[in-house]
mmCIF file of all heavy atoms in Angstrom:
data_model
loop_
_atom_site.group_PDB
_atom_site.id
_atom_site.type_symbol
_atom_site.label_atom_id
_atom_site.label_comp_id
_atom_site.label_asym_id
_atom_site.label_seq_id
_atom_site.Cartn_x
_atom_site.Cartn_y
_atom_site.Cartn_z
ATOM 1 N N ILE A 1 -7.118 -17.329 1.673
ATOM 2 C CA ILE A 1 -7.701 -16.680 0.524
ATOM 3 C C ILE A 1 -6.762 -15.604 0.133
ATOM 4 O O ILE A 1 -6.347 -14.760 0.820
ATOM 5 C CB ILE A 1 -8.983 -15.970 1.013
ATOM 6 C CG1 ILE A 1 -10.040 -17.127 1.481
ATOM 7 C CG2 ILE A 1 -9.679 -15.133 -0.072
ATOM 8 C CD1 ILE A 1 -11.327 -16.546 1.949
ATOM 9 N N PHE A 2 -6.354 -15.678 -1.225
ATOM 10 C CA PHE A 2 -5.378 -14.674 -1.692
ATOM 11 C C PHE A 2 -6.085 -13.373 -1.863
ATOM 12 O O PHE A 2 -7.161 -13.199 -2.411
ATOM 13 C CB PHE A 2 -4.897 -15.122 -3.028
ATOM 14 C CG PHE A 2 -3.956 -16.347 -2.918
ATOM 15 C CD1 PHE A 2 -4.505 -17.643 -3.059
ATOM 16 C CD2 PHE A 2 -2.669 -16.185 -2.665
ATOM 17 C CE1 PHE A 2 -3.636 -18.734 -3.030
ATOM 18 C CE2 PHE A 2 -1.835 -17.336 -2.486
ATOM 19 C CZ PHE A 2 -2.280 -18.655 -2.695
ATOM 20 N N ALA A 3 -5.406 -12.393 -1.326
ATOM 21 C CA ALA A 3 -6.003 -10.957 -1.291
ATOM 22 C C ALA A 3 -4.915 -9.946 -1.866
ATOM 23 O O ALA A 3 -3.780 -9.985 -1.562
ATOM 24 C CB ALA A 3 -6.372 -10.577 0.074
ATOM 25 N N VAL A 4 -5.463 -9.039 -2.695
ATOM 26 C CA VAL A 4 -4.656 -8.007 -3.331
ATOM 27 C C VAL A 4 -5.466 -6.754 -3.074
ATOM 28 O O VAL A 4 -6.639 -6.712 -3.108
ATOM 29 C CB VAL A 4 -4.324 -8.206 -4.763
ATOM 30 C CG1 VAL A 4 -5.601 -8.207 -5.592
ATOM 31 C CG2 VAL A 4 -3.435 -7.120 -5.235
ATOM 32 N N SER A 5 -4.669 -5.664 -2.719
ATOM 33 C CA SER A 5 -5.298 -4.410 -2.347
ATOM 34 C C SER A 5 -4.756 -3.274 -3.166
ATOM 35 O O SER A 5 -3.858 -3.465 -4.012
ATOM 36 C CB SER A 5 -5.118 -4.170 -0.845
ATOM 37 O OG SER A 5 -5.709 -3.078 -0.424
ATOM 38 N N ASN A 6 -5.257 -2.023 -2.894
ATOM 39 C CA ASN A 6 -4.720 -0.810 -3.572
ATOM 40 C C ASN A 6 -4.587 0.199 -2.293
ATOM 41 O O ASN A 6 -5.374 0.386 -1.681
ATOM 42 C CB ASN A 6 -5.634 -0.156 -4.531
ATOM 43 C CG ASN A 6 -5.900 -1.011 -5.732
ATOM 44 O OD1 ASN A 6 -6.831 -0.910 -6.415
ATOM 45 N ND2 ASN A 6 -4.950 -1.927 -6.100
ATOM 46 N N ASP A 7 -3.484 0.703 -2.279
ATOM 47 C CA ASP A 7 -2.982 1.963 -1.425
ATOM 48 C C ASP A 7 -1.617 2.032 -1.106
ATOM 49 O O ASP A 7 -0.875 3.044 -1.360
ATOM 50 C CB ASP A 7 -3.822 2.003 -0.166
ATOM 51 C CG ASP A 7 -5.266 2.854 -0.373
ATOM 52 O OD1 ASP A 7 -5.346 3.439 -1.475
ATOM 53 O OD2 ASP A 7 -6.130 2.802 0.418
ATOM 54 N N GLY A 8 -1.083 0.977 -0.521
ATOM 55 C CA GLY A 8 0.334 1.005 -0.029
ATOM 56 C C GLY A 8 0.487 1.560 1.218
ATOM 57 O O GLY A 8 1.705 2.137 1.534
ATOM 58 N N ILE A 9 -0.378 1.468 2.185
ATOM 59 C CA ILE A 9 -0.209 2.011 3.443
ATOM 60 C C ILE A 9 0.633 1.046 4.394
ATOM 61 O O ILE A 9 0.714 -0.161 3.988
ATOM 62 C CB ILE A 9 -1.595 2.267 4.176
ATOM 63 C CG1 ILE A 9 -2.379 0.936 4.251
ATOM 64 C CG2 ILE A 9 -2.358 3.373 3.471
ATOM 65 C CD1 ILE A 9 -3.679 1.066 4.967
ATOM 66 N N PRO A 10 1.251 1.477 5.416
ATOM 67 C CA PRO A 10 2.076 0.684 6.304
ATOM 68 C C PRO A 10 1.239 -0.559 6.727
ATOM 69 O O PRO A 10 1.858 -1.651 6.915
ATOM 70 C CB PRO A 10 2.600 1.467 7.413
ATOM 71 C CG PRO A 10 2.485 2.900 6.833
ATOM 72 C CD PRO A 10 1.349 2.921 5.770
ATOM 73 N N GLN A 11 0.033 -0.387 7.098
ATOM 74 C CA GLN A 11 -0.727 -1.603 7.540
ATOM 75 C C GLN A 11 -0.894 -2.742 6.566
ATOM 76 O O GLN A 11 -0.819 -3.796 6.943
ATOM 77 C CB GLN A 11 -2.225 -1.080 8.003
ATOM 78 C CG GLN A 11 -2.154 -0.094 9.141
ATOM 79 C CD GLN A 11 -2.041 1.352 8.763
ATOM 80 O OE1 GLN A 11 -1.513 1.617 7.741
ATOM 81 N NE2 GLN A 11 -2.521 2.226 9.574
ATOM 82 N N GLU A 12 -1.038 -2.372 5.324
ATOM 83 C CA GLU A 12 -0.979 -3.342 4.208
ATOM 84 C C GLU A 12 0.380 -3.976 4.201
ATOM 85 O O GLU A 12 0.471 -5.284 3.939
ATOM 86 C CB GLU A 12 -1.238 -2.741 2.856
ATOM 87 C CG GLU A 12 -2.717 -2.244 2.699
ATOM 88 C CD GLU A 12 -2.901 -1.510 1.400
ATOM 89 O OE1 GLU A 12 -2.222 -0.504 1.244
ATOM 90 O OE2 GLU A 12 -3.750 -1.962 0.571
ATOM 91 N N PHE A 13 1.424 -3.270 4.282
ATOM 92 C CA PHE A 13 2.798 -3.932 4.314
ATOM 93 C C PHE A 13 2.973 -4.858 5.433
ATOM 94 O O PHE A 13 3.503 -6.005 5.174
ATOM 95 C CB PHE A 13 3.925 -2.884 4.296
ATOM 96 C CG PHE A 13 3.982 -2.036 3.044
ATOM 97 C CD1 PHE A 13 3.176 -2.209 2.066
ATOM 98 C CD2 PHE A 13 4.824 -0.975 2.944
ATOM 99 C CE1 PHE A 13 3.262 -1.468 0.860
ATOM 100 C CE2 PHE A 13 5.012 -0.174 1.806
ATOM 101 C CZ PHE A 13 4.160 -0.460 0.854
ATOM 102 N N ASP A 14 2.526 -4.537 6.604
ATOM 103 C CA ASP A 14 2.591 -5.420 7.724
ATOM 104 C C ASP A 14 1.696 -6.728 7.543
ATOM 105 O O ASP A 14 2.226 -7.676 7.744
ATOM 106 C CB ASP A 14 2.083 -4.723 9.001
ATOM 107 C CG ASP A 14 3.041 -3.616 9.520
ATOM 108 O OD1 ASP A 14 4.216 -3.677 9.090
ATOM 109 O OD2 ASP A 14 2.580 -2.804 10.336
ATOM 110 N N ALA A 15 0.532 -6.559 6.863
ATOM 111 C CA ALA A 15 -0.288 -7.668 6.584
ATOM 112 C C ALA A 15 0.374 -8.600 5.472
ATOM 113 O O ALA A 15 0.251 -9.821 5.497
ATOM 114 C CB ALA A 15 -1.657 -7.230 6.030
ATOM 115 N N ILE A 16 1.142 -7.989 4.638
ATOM 116 C CA ILE A 16 1.843 -8.811 3.645
ATOM 117 C C ILE A 16 3.012 -9.628 4.231
ATOM 118 O O ILE A 16 3.192 -10.843 4.012
ATOM 119 C CB ILE A 16 2.469 -7.939 2.473
ATOM 120 C CG1 ILE A 16 1.259 -7.451 1.649
ATOM 121 C CG2 ILE A 16 3.365 -8.703 1.649
ATOM 122 C CD1 ILE A 16 1.635 -6.368 0.579
ATOM 123 N N ARG A 17 3.679 -8.852 5.121
ATOM 124 C CA ARG A 17 4.687 -9.547 5.904
ATOM 125 C C ARG A 17 4.237 -10.812 6.826
ATOM 126 O O ARG A 17 4.914 -11.753 6.861
ATOM 127 C CB ARG A 17 5.527 -8.628 6.750
ATOM 128 C CG ARG A 17 6.287 -7.481 6.066
ATOM 129 C CD ARG A 17 7.066 -6.587 7.017
ATOM 130 N NE ARG A 17 7.611 -5.501 6.208
ATOM 131 C CZ ARG A 17 7.123 -4.284 6.294
ATOM 132 N NH1 ARG A 17 6.137 -3.899 6.904
ATOM 133 N NH2 ARG A 17 7.812 -3.340 5.577
ATOM 134 N N LYS A 18 3.076 -10.591 7.239
ATOM 135 C CA LYS A 18 2.505 -11.666 8.152
ATOM 136 C C LYS A 18 1.813 -12.783 7.284
ATOM 137 O O LYS A 18 1.364 -13.737 7.846
ATOM 138 C CB LYS A 18 1.403 -11.040 9.055
ATOM 139 C CG LYS A 18 1.948 -10.115 10.077
ATOM 140 C CD LYS A 18 0.920 -9.463 10.890
ATOM 141 C CE LYS A 18 1.348 -8.493 11.865
ATOM 142 N NZ LYS A 18 0.227 -7.781 12.658
ATOM 143 N N GLY A 19 1.662 -12.519 6.071
ATOM 144 C CA GLY A 19 0.948 -13.499 5.108
ATOM 145 C C GLY A 19 -0.487 -13.490 5.297
ATOM 146 O O GLY A 19 -1.212 -14.386 4.811
ATOM 147 N N GLU A 20 -1.087 -12.282 5.730
ATOM 148 C CA GLU A 20 -2.487 -12.190 5.873
ATOM 149 C C GLU A 20 -3.132 -11.655 4.492
ATOM 150 O O GLU A 20 -4.218 -12.057 4.232
ATOM 151 C CB GLU A 20 -2.764 -11.182 6.975
ATOM 152 C CG GLU A 20 -2.403 -11.667 8.292
ATOM 153 C CD GLU A 20 -2.532 -10.526 9.427
ATOM 154 O OE1 GLU A 20 -2.553 -9.333 9.044
ATOM 155 O OE2 GLU A 20 -2.589 -10.889 10.589
ATOM 156 N N ILE A 21 -2.424 -10.838 3.768
ATOM 157 C CA ILE A 21 -2.818 -10.506 2.413
ATOM 158 C C ILE A 21 -1.446 -10.744 1.611
ATOM 159 O O ILE A 21 -0.466 -11.005 2.151
ATOM 160 C CB ILE A 21 -3.289 -9.113 2.252
ATOM 161 C CG1 ILE A 21 -2.229 -8.064 2.411
ATOM 162 C CG2 ILE A 21 -4.410 -8.880 3.123
ATOM 163 C CD1 ILE A 21 -2.639 -6.551 2.058
ATOM 164 N N ASP A 22 -1.647 -10.685 0.316
ATOM 165 C CA ASP A 22 -0.535 -11.054 -0.547
ATOM 166 C C ASP A 22 0.078 -9.945 -1.461
ATOM 167 O O ASP A 22 1.197 -10.159 -1.810
ATOM 168 C CB ASP A 22 -1.038 -12.231 -1.498
ATOM 169 C CG ASP A 22 -1.680 -13.299 -0.690
ATOM 170 O OD1 ASP A 22 -0.955 -14.210 -0.266
ATOM 171 O OD2 ASP A 22 -2.902 -13.383 -0.443
ATOM 172 N N ALA A 23 -0.646 -8.952 -1.763
ATOM 173 C CA ALA A 23 -0.134 -7.927 -2.530
ATOM 174 C C ALA A 23 -0.959 -6.550 -2.390
ATOM 175 O O ALA A 23 -2.084 -6.659 -1.886
ATOM 176 C CB ALA A 23 -0.049 -8.304 -3.999
ATOM 177 N N THR A 24 -0.376 -5.514 -2.771
ATOM 178 C CA THR A 24 -1.009 -4.233 -2.837
ATOM 179 C C THR A 24 -0.361 -3.382 -3.913
ATOM 180 O O THR A 24 0.767 -3.707 -4.270
ATOM 181 C CB THR A 24 -1.124 -3.467 -1.583
ATOM 182 O OG1 THR A 24 -1.914 -2.217 -1.683
ATOM 183 C CG2 THR A 24 0.270 -2.937 -1.203
ATOM 184 N N VAL A 25 -1.162 -2.441 -4.458
ATOM 185 C CA VAL A 25 -0.543 -1.459 -5.426
ATOM 186 C C VAL A 25 -0.342 -0.143 -4.588
ATOM 187 O O VAL A 25 -1.234 0.347 -3.904
ATOM 188 C CB VAL A 25 -1.513 -1.176 -6.647
ATOM 189 C CG1 VAL A 25 -0.872 -0.088 -7.513
ATOM 190 C CG2 VAL A 25 -1.775 -2.452 -7.428
ATOM 191 N N SER A 26 0.931 0.293 -4.610
ATOM 192 C CA SER A 26 1.313 1.361 -3.807
ATOM 193 C C SER A 26 0.975 2.786 -4.494
ATOM 194 O O SER A 26 1.697 3.213 -5.394
ATOM 195 C CB SER A 26 2.810 1.365 -3.459
ATOM 196 O OG SER A 26 3.191 2.508 -2.700
ATOM 197 N N GLN A 27 -0.093 3.389 -4.068
ATOM 198 C CA GLN A 27 -0.379 4.698 -4.543
ATOM 199 C C GLN A 27 0.602 5.687 -3.792
ATOM 200 O O GLN A 27 0.734 5.584 -2.590
ATOM 201 C CB GLN A 27 -1.766 5.038 -4.189
ATOM 202 C CG GLN A 27 -2.847 4.395 -4.875
ATOM 203 C CD GLN A 27 -4.224 5.112 -4.728
ATOM 204 O OE1 GLN A 27 -4.493 5.870 -5.478
ATOM 205 N NE2 GLN A 27 -4.942 4.731 -3.648
ATOM 206 N N PRO A 28 1.166 6.636 -4.526
ATOM 207 C CA PRO A 28 2.227 7.461 -3.863
ATOM 208 C C PRO A 28 1.657 8.640 -3.166
ATOM 209 O O PRO A 28 1.536 9.770 -3.652
ATOM 210 C CB PRO A 28 3.020 7.931 -5.095
ATOM 211 C CG PRO A 28 1.993 8.003 -6.236
ATOM 212 C CD PRO A 28 1.110 6.771 -5.989
ATOM 213 N N ALA A 29 1.209 8.383 -2.015
ATOM 214 C CA ALA A 29 0.655 9.479 -1.041
ATOM 215 C C ALA A 29 1.561 10.612 -0.971
ATOM 216 O O ALA A 29 1.169 11.777 -0.944
ATOM 217 C CB ALA A 29 0.318 8.862 0.257
ATOM 218 N N ASP A 30 2.860 10.303 -0.798
ATOM 219 C CA ASP A 30 3.847 11.381 -0.721
ATOM 220 C C ASP A 30 3.921 12.197 -1.894
ATOM 221 O O ASP A 30 3.929 13.475 -1.890
ATOM 222 C CB ASP A 30 5.160 10.807 -0.272
ATOM 223 C CG ASP A 30 5.674 9.831 -1.234
ATOM 224 O OD1 ASP A 30 4.969 9.196 -1.997
ATOM 225 O OD2 ASP A 30 6.987 9.513 -1.160
ATOM 226 N N LEU A 31 4.099 11.558 -3.105
ATOM 227 C CA LEU A 31 4.174 12.363 -4.290
ATOM 228 C C LEU A 31 2.885 13.021 -4.665
ATOM 229 O O LEU A 31 2.882 14.031 -5.368
ATOM 230 C CB LEU A 31 4.666 11.420 -5.370
ATOM 231 C CG LEU A 31 5.946 10.744 -5.206
ATOM 232 C CD1 LEU A 31 6.426 9.906 -6.360
ATOM 233 C CD2 LEU A 31 7.068 11.764 -4.855
ATOM 234 N N TYR A 32 1.680 12.514 -4.381
ATOM 235 C CA TYR A 32 0.528 13.089 -4.534
ATOM 236 C C TYR A 32 0.578 14.480 -3.909
ATOM 237 O O TYR A 32 0.138 15.558 -4.577
ATOM 238 C CB TYR A 32 -0.667 12.339 -3.994
ATOM 239 C CG TYR A 32 -1.252 11.182 -4.829
ATOM 240 C CD1 TYR A 32 -0.664 10.866 -6.017
ATOM 241 C CD2 TYR A 32 -2.271 10.502 -4.373
ATOM 242 C CE1 TYR A 32 -1.150 9.832 -6.792
ATOM 243 C CE2 TYR A 32 -2.823 9.568 -5.180
ATOM 244 C CZ TYR A 32 -2.278 9.188 -6.394
ATOM 245 O OH TYR A 32 -2.753 8.085 -7.178
ATOM 246 N N ALA A 33 0.934 14.603 -2.669
ATOM 247 C CA ALA A 33 1.044 15.794 -1.845
ATOM 248 C C ALA A 33 2.024 16.680 -2.531
ATOM 249 O O ALA A 33 1.810 17.907 -2.782
ATOM 250 C CB ALA A 33 1.407 15.576 -0.529
ATOM 251 N N LYS A 34 3.236 16.161 -2.854
ATOM 252 C CA LYS A 34 4.349 17.010 -3.341
ATOM 253 C C LYS A 34 3.980 17.645 -4.639
ATOM 254 O O LYS A 34 4.143 18.908 -4.863
ATOM 255 C CB LYS A 34 5.672 16.171 -3.483
ATOM 256 C CG LYS A 34 6.727 16.897 -4.039
ATOM 257 C CD LYS A 34 7.982 16.033 -4.169
ATOM 258 C CE LYS A 34 9.252 16.783 -4.634
ATOM 259 N NZ LYS A 34 10.514 15.895 -4.716
ATOM 260 N N TYR A 35 3.457 16.948 -5.588
ATOM 261 C CA TYR A 35 3.348 17.429 -6.957
ATOM 262 C C TYR A 35 2.044 18.114 -7.074
ATOM 263 O O TYR A 35 1.912 19.025 -7.946
ATOM 264 C CB TYR A 35 3.547 16.341 -7.926
ATOM 265 C CG TYR A 35 5.030 16.038 -8.168
ATOM 266 C CD1 TYR A 35 5.514 14.982 -7.416
ATOM 267 C CD2 TYR A 35 5.921 16.934 -8.696
ATOM 268 C CE1 TYR A 35 6.902 14.670 -7.550
ATOM 269 C CE2 TYR A 35 7.279 16.698 -8.769
ATOM 270 C CZ TYR A 35 7.714 15.542 -8.177
ATOM 271 O OH TYR A 35 9.169 15.261 -8.206
ATOM 272 N N ALA A 36 1.003 17.828 -6.334
ATOM 273 C CA ALA A 36 -0.242 18.716 -6.280
ATOM 274 C C ALA A 36 0.152 20.135 -5.888
ATOM 275 O O ALA A 36 -0.213 21.090 -6.572
ATOM 276 C CB ALA A 36 -1.148 18.112 -5.297
ATOM 277 N N LEU A 37 0.968 20.242 -4.801
ATOM 278 C CA LEU A 37 1.426 21.564 -4.372
ATOM 279 C C LEU A 37 2.382 22.172 -5.448
ATOM 280 O O LEU A 37 2.185 23.458 -5.730
ATOM 281 C CB LEU A 37 2.062 21.424 -3.005
ATOM 282 C CG LEU A 37 1.083 21.163 -1.975
ATOM 283 C CD1 LEU A 37 1.848 20.767 -0.627
ATOM 284 C CD2 LEU A 37 0.110 22.258 -1.518
#
C-alpha cells in the first residue's frame, strides 16, 4: 500500500529506506525553531 506522510522525522526516513512507506514532506523543524526565535 503506497503511503505518503508529512513531517520529515528520522523515523519516516527509516521507513522509506525499508520500503514501508514511500514518501514524506519534510517540515523544517530546525528552521521553525530558528526563525521563530
Side-chain angles (χ1 to χ4, degrees):
I1 296 178
F2 290 95
V4 60
S5 187
N6 295 157
D7 271 349
I9 57 175
Q11 294 89 333
E12 287 172 304
F13 290 0
D14 288 342
I16 290 173
R17 293 184 184 103
K18 294 175 183 177
E20 295 173 339
I21 70 170
D22 303 275
T24 187
V25 177
S26 177
Q27 292 195 90
D30 54 344
L31 299 185
Y32 277 5
K34 178 178 182 178
Y35 287 104
L37 292 167

